Amino acid sequence: VLDSEDKLAKLNQNNSKLNTELEKTRTTLNEIAQEHSHLIYLQEKKNNRKWEDDKEAENCKSCTKEFGVSLRRHHCRNCGGIFCDTCSKERSSTPSSKARVRVCGPCNTELNPR
């Protein structure tokens, strides 16, 4: 009877360890699933980018200043949006260019996370 009780205690202890490991594995799997969803979102966002037509942009996409003779339009080389010089002053390499090119502030943050 004592031998059976020892075996039962060991089995219960082993079961407890396995349950703890299972919970850690489930947590890790959930974290991976969340990261995967985020990566799919970023990929879809990237795939849906388009080069904005100059004629469509009357104002800077960031500061909303009106374009004119003294305020020129500049395309962000990452997202294709149109910005003024101040809002697109950052330079960064992009997935399509190893050279450092003009990018807007949000794209600079995206391309160079800290």
Side-chain angles (χ1 to χ4, degrees):
V1 174
L2 289 178
D3 189 39
S4 294
E5 289 176 358
D6 284 344
K7 286 181 181 179
L8 181 59
K10 286 180 183 178
L11 286 172
N12 283 335
Q13 187 178 21
N14 191 33
N15 187 38
S16 178
K17 287 179 184 177
L18 288 172
N19 280 330
T20 300
E21 261 188 65
L22 177 61
E23 191 55 40
K24 286 180 184 177
T25 302
R26 283 182 176 154
T27 300
T28 301
L29 182 59
N30 283 337
E31 290 170 356
I32 290 170
Q34 288 175 348
E35 181 66 18
H36 181 257
S37 293
H38 181 67
L39 290 172
I40 288 173
Y41 165 77
L42 290 176
Q43 186 65 38
E44 287 176 0
K45 181 179 164 187
K46 180 181 167 190
N47 290 341
N48 292 329
R49 291 179 176 165
K50 71 173 188 122
W51 193 261
E52 286 187 39
D53 187 355
D54 285 356
K55 295 172 190 158
E56 294 175 9
E58 294 179 8
N59 303 79
C60 173
K61 198 171 186 174
S62 183
C63 70
T64 69
K65 288 181 184 172
E66 189 173 344
F67 293 121
V69 176
S70 61
L71 190 64
R72 295 189 54 211
R73 294 168 176 86
H74 298 278
H75 279 90
C76 170
R77 298 304 195 267
N78 188 53
C79 70
I82 298 178
F83 301 86
C84 67
D85 183 60
T86 302
C87 294
S88 63
K89 66 182 176 190
E90 304 293 340
R91 300 290 187 269
S92 181
S93 56
T94 65
S96 62
S97 174
K98 298 275 186 215
R100 294 174 59 79
V101 293
R102 179 184 294 269
V103 294
C104 64
C107 285
N108 187 56
T109 300
E110 176 186 318
L111 295 166
N112 302 296
R114 295 184 189 199

